[in-house]
Amino acid sequence: MLAGKRILLIIGGGIAAYKSLDLIRRLRERGASVSPVMTRAAAEFVTPLSVSALAGEEVHRDLFDLTKEAEMGHINLSRVADLVVVAPATADLMAKMAQGHADDLASTLLMATDTPVMIAPAMNVRMWDHPATQRNLATLQGDGVRIVGPNEGDMACGEFGPGRMAEPLEIVAAIEQALAAGPLRGKKILVTSGPTHEPIDPVRYIANRSSGAQGTAIANALRDLGAEVIFVTGLAEAARPQGVQVIEVESARDMRQAVMDNLPVAAGVFAAAVADWRVASASDSKIKKTKGGLPVLEFAENPDILAEVSQMTQGRPGLVVGFAAETDDVVENATSKRQRKGCDWIVANDVSPETGIMGGSENAVVLISEDGAEAWPRMGKDAVARELARKIAEALA
Ligand code: CTP
């Protein structure tokens, strides 16, 4: 399934490097060719001879190898691959990537490449949980780096928890998925997701119960069909999708700005639960209790991002999909919402508390388009996302 594909495999210096030998074997079994690169530390764990014997290619290790510069410079090396895979990705390599260091061959290749990058992190549990690593992880996810693993389990250092490198076959599956020629390949799609937070003062805000689960599932499903996804999310509970560009925002106005900054796109899916109103003049300092009575909040209307994008005369996405969270007369209200906002499709759902949909794992939706209303059976949010992604691919074909 990987026939004809070239993987640039960067092996970092961790005990999990021994698994990279098996990874090379598995990739080659499937027809891929592997150009191996080892960091200096990696050579302390596995020998370059084993790596090159399994890869059937020379190992690249030195940034300043003049012969190789003449034959195939490091820039070229980073670009001939279909995918760059870093396995194991140590805490140090992740930090270098997040910060944009280029002080050895591996980090320079990662800076110079214009091909997609996937990392398989492997490190001690505490190092994985460390805020610095989690910050770097978020940065890398935001840059569109795909992450596979780490898994939870017993570790070579004797501790237990997340930090174990994904197994070679899991990495192979992720590579196959990343290289699959999906119908949305080459298409940029923007997805908004999660709640917005509207500040009252520096410590208080108004928000809603959206978990971001449906928007996240949609981003994952679009990515699986090959789309280049830009995921603009409020401060949502759901884990961020992987292998997509993540932009974190707080308020409706921040979300609008992030959306506008990232147009044009082939399609926009507006799954965020955007607050309709914000506090007109949020206080810069904490509002204190006073004997003078209760504070009065005045509201101002937020920009309607979906309506604004739908009604753009220039640079409008080819397909604009909105959501409607209704509690009564779902189809009727959503149909008129589609017309009022000017979007192409509305995915309407009944969010009455008894449905358990808001914040739950299932959804029962009606897709409203020019052709009328199409009710889908109640199913998991992942299944709804896959069906919607399939329809989007059909519409953009
Ligand atoms: N939406 C948006 N910007 C807003 C409000 C909503 O982009 N300021 C988008 C949502 O992401 C969703 C759709 O509009 O795709 C429907 O939002 P909803 O709040 O249900 O619609 P409203 O216009 O607020 O209508 P109502 O409150 O009357 O139901």
Side-chain angles (χ1 to χ4, degrees):
M1 248 181 292
L2 290 172
K5 300 291 183 195
R6 174 163 289 277
I7 309 294
L8 180 73
L9 176 65
I10 297 178
I11 305 177
I15 184 67
Y18 78 92
K19 291 195 201 170
S20 307
L21 298 177
D22 191 32
L23 176 62
I24 297 174
R25 206 167 59 86
R26 305 284 186 182
L27 288 169
R28 293 201 64 207
E29 271 170 12
R30 286 161 179 74
S33 44
V34 179
S35 312
V37 172
M38 292 174 78
T39 64
R40 191 192 294 259
E44 302 287 331
F45 291 91
V46 288
T47 71
L49 187 61
S50 323
V51 172
S52 66
L54 284 165
E57 289 189 25
E58 198 187 345
V59 178
H60 303 273
R61 296 167 64 193
D62 199 350
L63 182 57
F64 301 108
D65 185 331
L66 291 181
T67 341
K68 288 208 201 89
E69 266 314 298
E71 288 161 11
M72 184 202 238
H74 56 260
I75 303 278
N76 196 15
L77 180 61
S78 75
R79 296 199 182 156
V80 290
D82 296 290
L83 186 70
V84 178
V85 177
V86 187
T90 58
D92 180 56
L93 255 176
M94 285 177 64
K96 278 183 168 175
M97 288 174 75
Q99 296 295 319
H101 288 224
D103 60 357
D104 61 3
L105 182 60
S107 53
T108 304
L109 290 172
L110 285 160
M111 279 290 280
T113 193
D114 58 1
T115 30
V117 177
M118 177 183 292
I119 64 171
M123 66 197 72
N124 167 275
V125 184
R126 300 244 159 111
M127 289 173 83
W128 175 254
D129 285 338
H130 195 285
T133 303
Q134 291 302 312
R135 259 196 320 271
N136 293 333
L137 176 69
T139 303
L140 293 173
Q141 282 177 324
D143 291 345
V145 170
R146 289 171 184 255
I147 323 281
V148 49
N151 294 342
E152 193 173 278
D154 286 321
M155 307 197 47
C157 53
E159 288 186 67
F160 180 89
R164 251 167 77 131
M165 187 166 92
E167 296 305 318
L169 284 178
E170 290 176 82
I171 302 176
V172 168
I175 292 173
E176 282 175 338
Q177 193 184 58
L179 293 177
L184 289 173
R185 195 157 198 88
K187 301 259 196 293
K188 227 188 218 185
I189 302 187
L190 186 142
V191 178
T192 69
S193 181
T196 62
H197 284 193
E198 308 298 330
I200 296 171
D201 67 17
V203 295
R204 304 181 179 95
Y205 57 80
I206 297 173
N208 58 67
R209 293 184 200 279
S210 165
S211 65
Q214 187 64 81
T216 303
I218 292 168
N220 283 326
L222 291 166
R223 176 211 59 205
D224 287 349
L225 296 186
E228 192 187 318
V229 179
I230 304 164
F231 184 71
V232 180
T233 180
L235 299 166
E237 217 179 278
R240 302 292 175 259
Q242 299 192 345
V244 313
Q245 189 189 339
V246 178
I247 302 172
E248 307 259 354
V249 297
E250 219 171 295
S251 67
R253 285 183 297 173
D254 298 341
M255 184 172 276
R256 178 196 168 274
Q257 194 57 49
V259 168
M260 294 304 163
D261 288 348
N262 283 283
L263 298 180
V265 290
V269 180
F270 294 84
V274 185
D276 291 323
W277 316 284
R278 65 175 182 275
V279 177
S281 44
S283 170
D284 288 336
S285 49
K286 188 180 168 205
I287 302 171
K288 304 294 283 179
K289 261 186 297 199
T290 58
K291 291 210 174 67
L294 298 173
V296 176
L297 297 180
E298 279 197 36
F299 288 94
E301 201 167 332
N302 267 331
D304 188 325
I305 309 165
L306 174 65
E308 188 176 341
V309 172
S310 299
Q311 291 162 27
M312 283 171 76
T313 47
Q314 269 191 330
R316 182 192 191 273
L319 180 71
V320 180
V321 183
F323 274 69
E326 307 287 347
T327 50
D328 308 283
D329 305 323
V330 178
V331 171
E332 210 179 313
N333 281 334
T335 302
S336 60
K337 194 171 283 180
R338 186 184 90 84
Q339 271 155 8
R340 203 166 61 242
K341 299 212 184 199
C343 55
D344 302 300
W345 300 350
I346 283 255
V347 180
N349 51 15
D350 185 345
V351 291
S352 316
E354 64 276 14
T355 64
I357 283 173
M358 198 98 172
S361 63
E362 289 193 331
N363 211 347
V365 309
V366 182
L367 182 70
I368 291 164
S369 67
E370 207 180 28
D371 305 330
E374 180 185 297
W376 298 0
R378 186 171 173 131
M379 50 187 161
K381 287 184 175 170
D382 286 349
V384 169
R386 280 196 296 274
E387 183 56 16
L388 185 65
R390 198 187 59 74
K391 282 195 175 282
I392 291 174
E394 240 173 52
L396 296 182

